[in-house]
Amino acid sequence: MEQQGGNEEKTVCRQSSTRWTPTSDQIRILKDLYYNSGVRSPTAEQIQRISAKLRQYGKIEGKNVFYWFQNHKARERQKKRFTADHHHPIPIYSNFPNNINPPGNFASSSAAGLLNGYGSVAMENSFRECTITPSANVGGQNLAWFGVDTYPSPYPFLEMSRSINNQTLLQAAEEEASEIETLPLFPMHGDAKQDWHHRGDDAIAAASLELSLNPYAAGFRH
Amino acid sequence: MEQQGGNEEKTVCRQSSTRWTPTSDQIRILKDLYYNSGVRSPTAEQIQRISAKLRQYGKIEGKNVFYWFQNHKARERQKKRFTADHHHPIPIYSNFPNNINPPGNFASSSAAGLLNGYGSVAMENSFRECTITPSANVGGQNLAWFGVDTYPSPYPFLEMSRSINNQTLLQAAEEEASEIETLPLFPMHGDAKQDWHHRGDDAIAAASLELSLNPYAAGFRH
DNA sequence: TTAATATGAATGAAGG
DNA sequence: CCTTCATTCATATTAA
């Protein structure tokens, strides 16, 4: 909750020079991919292809594509979030499909108040207007693509290599294992105790150890 | 880099941002640990020490350190993932326990990288991470980890216990927990920003990736 | 020019 | 570890 006590100067080093300025053709294609092809969070491979393709229309890098989708998606969602719930008595904290309406909260429409500043319903600039119909992508991700050539895609370069990518990482479980039995994870403030995500405690011992950074530890641990 | 400087806390009661906002000193140290000391996935104790140390520069909790390393590492990899096309470097993955500093073995990193602000860095292995420790650093000497107390670590607070010469590692850990605040200082140098996009180098081999424009060729050209 | 707004970039937190 | 989400910062763009 509270934030820093006295130290400020956060300086984040955000970018400082020129930023990518998409050409209209690039925008057009990106939007088409987004709205017509349902691409939302392209995989690294797709990003590569997309950026390679868009490079015909101007300078562009993979990260630009990455951020574009990331931002576009987030902003669309954000907008929807602020407008959607006004229609129904649905309060902000409910996400149930559509029923139930928790006590008083509807009138929130005063919008302006909370919108950080943006949030205005300004709406998008040129395109957008919907026209889209994300067709097959309800899930949010563009499934349906691989393999089949059933229907022609306007963006063949996007076809995935059909490797659904078995991520199979079950091991993720221990995800970090940073835990040591006797050691209190972190010294949190007594009362606050916010327990940021407790990970399964057991394991533990497991690796425990080796505390690596110590020169000697390394040497003698065996 | 700097935002406006001295801002801190914005106007309007907007400070509710629960999220940690690292100070530039904290960032500097974290990067130094990452790039110069090879820390990638610090253990709980390390996290604790690091956060204790960084607390001198501003509010911070263990989880912040934890996430910082997670994110920094993940993004470094991701960037690469959609920047250059993935090739499977076959081999060799060595897996050290996943934690830093494999005893007497680092060197393998071979050159590697472009030093960005910090001198080492940028290396990064293909898979399995490894996080090897560059350690090399300016001096060019890779010191040995089992040496003796001769050379001073830039981050003594990371050293396992003050009693460097006894194992007591584990127990040290626990008792250490209660007294993290008194640690020796150490010299630091200026910061630098690492920017994964160095934009200027336009040139770009242009299109190195065209290869994939073919629908099916994409993934498996076999 | 200046004020607003749209959007690129970055990054803390989590989810899985 | 990889991916996604929410926010925030910075700047290009456009309206006033």
Side-chain angles (χ1 to χ4, degrees), chain B residues 104-166:
Chain B
N105 176 348
F106 30 86
S108 56
S109 58
S110 75
L114 27 160
L115 320 174
N116 24 22
Y118 274 95
S120 41
V121 188
M123 65 177 238
E124 200 267 336
N125 295 266
S126 26
F127 269 34
R128 250 39 229 145
E129 202 26 317
C130 7
T131 57
I132 326 183
T133 273
S135 74
N137 142 342
V138 223
Q141 75 298 20
N142 282 297
L143 25 85
W145 292 85
F146 14 70
V148 210
D149 42 309
T150 26
Y151 65 96
S153 162
Y155 294 103
F157 62 91
L158 272 183
E159 298 289 347
M160 225 27 218
S161 63
R162 43 266 164 132
S163 58
I164 346 184
N165 106 43
N166 280 324

Side-chain angles (χ1 to χ4, degrees), chain A residues 26-220:
Chain A
Q26 292 175 326
I27 297 284
R28 180 172 45 69
I29 295 175
L30 287 168
K31 287 191 176 181
D32 194 32
L33 282 169
Y34 188 92
Y35 295 113
N36 296 328
S37 300
V39 177
R40 291 288 181 287
S41 301
T43 63
E45 193 175 352
Q46 292 177 311
I47 287 174
Q48 286 180 50
R49 298 219 184 79
I50 295 171
S51 64
K53 177 68 179 180
L54 295 186
R55 196 160 297 127
Q56 308 178 145
Y57 304 99
K59 185 179 176 183
I60 189 173
E61 294 175 71
K63 68 166 191 170
N64 303 129
V65 172
F66 171 79
Y67 284 134
W68 190 90
F69 280 97
Q70 193 91 61
N71 285 322
H72 203 73
K73 183 179 180 182
R75 280 163 180 145
E76 184 183 68
R77 176 173 33 234
Q78 180 191 199
K79 237 150 225 171
K80 201 141 278 183
R81 196 162 48 197
F82 281 128
T83 59
D85 59 43
H86 296 282
H87 289 266
H88 313 12
I90 301 179
I92 48 179
Y93 52 72
S94 69
N95 292 12
F96 344 120
N98 45 359
N99 41 14
I100 306 182
N101 32 349
N105 175 336
F106 16 141
S108 60
S109 54
S110 53
L114 45 156
L115 298 189
N116 188 336
Y118 302 5
S120 53
V121 202
M123 198 145 304
E124 308 232 37
N125 221 356
S126 12
F127 319 52
R128 209 268 183 283
E129 285 345 337
C130 14
T131 73
I132 6 248
T133 313
S135 58
N137 90 85
V138 188
Q141 184 64 306
N142 45 310
L143 15 79
W145 285 78
F146 39 117
V148 210
D149 33 303
T150 18
Y151 48 74
S153 163
Y155 298 103
F157 63 90
L158 248 196
E159 295 294 354
M160 221 22 194
S161 54
R162 91 39 157 244
S163 55
I164 272 284
N165 250 21
N166 11 250
Q167 294 264 211
T168 72
L169 329 109
L170 13 192
Q171 43 65 239
E174 54 114 30
E175 95 181 49
E176 247 298 304
S178 25
E179 177 129 31
I180 287 196
E181 36 186 7
T182 49
L183 182 81
L185 234 289
F186 301 113
M188 296 195 163
H189 314 108
D191 51 334
K193 147 165 294 170
Q194 52 184 38
D195 172 284
W196 53 298
H197 135 240
H198 205 138
R199 19 180 107 285
D201 30 74
D202 65 312
I204 312 181
S208 358
L209 340 284
E210 320 320 296
L211 330 178
S212 1
L213 281 195
N214 182 333
Y216 300 97
F220 101 127

Side-chain angles (χ1 to χ4, degrees), chain B residues 13-33:
Chain B
C13 57
R14 188 47 187 178
Q15 32 81 294
S16 45
S17 107
T18 310
R19 102 181 198 178
W20 169 58
T21 46
T23 64
S24 54
D25 282 318
Q26 291 175 327
I27 296 286
R28 180 165 44 73
I29 295 174
L30 287 168
K31 286 187 176 177
D32 195 30
L33 283 169

Side-chain angles (χ1 to χ4, degrees), chain B residues 35-111:
Chain B
Y35 294 115
N36 295 330
S37 299
V39 176
R40 291 289 182 287
S41 300
T43 62
E45 301 95 302
Q46 294 174 327
I47 286 173
Q48 187 182 276
R49 290 202 172 71
I50 294 170
S51 64
K53 175 65 184 179
L54 297 186
R55 197 160 297 124
Q56 311 180 151
Y57 303 99
K59 185 182 177 191
I60 188 174
E61 292 176 69
K63 71 171 187 177
N64 303 129
V65 172
F66 171 79
Y67 283 134
W68 191 90
F69 280 97
Q70 278 269 225
N71 284 324
H72 204 74
K73 183 177 180 179
R75 283 174 175 134
E76 192 178 67
R77 297 189 92 207
Q78 177 187 53
K79 174 200 331 177
K80 168 176 292 190
R81 199 172 310 120
F82 59 55
T83 277
D85 68 330
H86 52 143
H87 41 295
H88 289 186
I90 321 181
I92 347 181
Y93 22 76
S94 39
N95 347 356
F96 317 78
N98 181 350
N99 213 329
I100 333 3
N101 315 331
N105 176 348
F106 30 86
S108 56
S109 58
S110 75

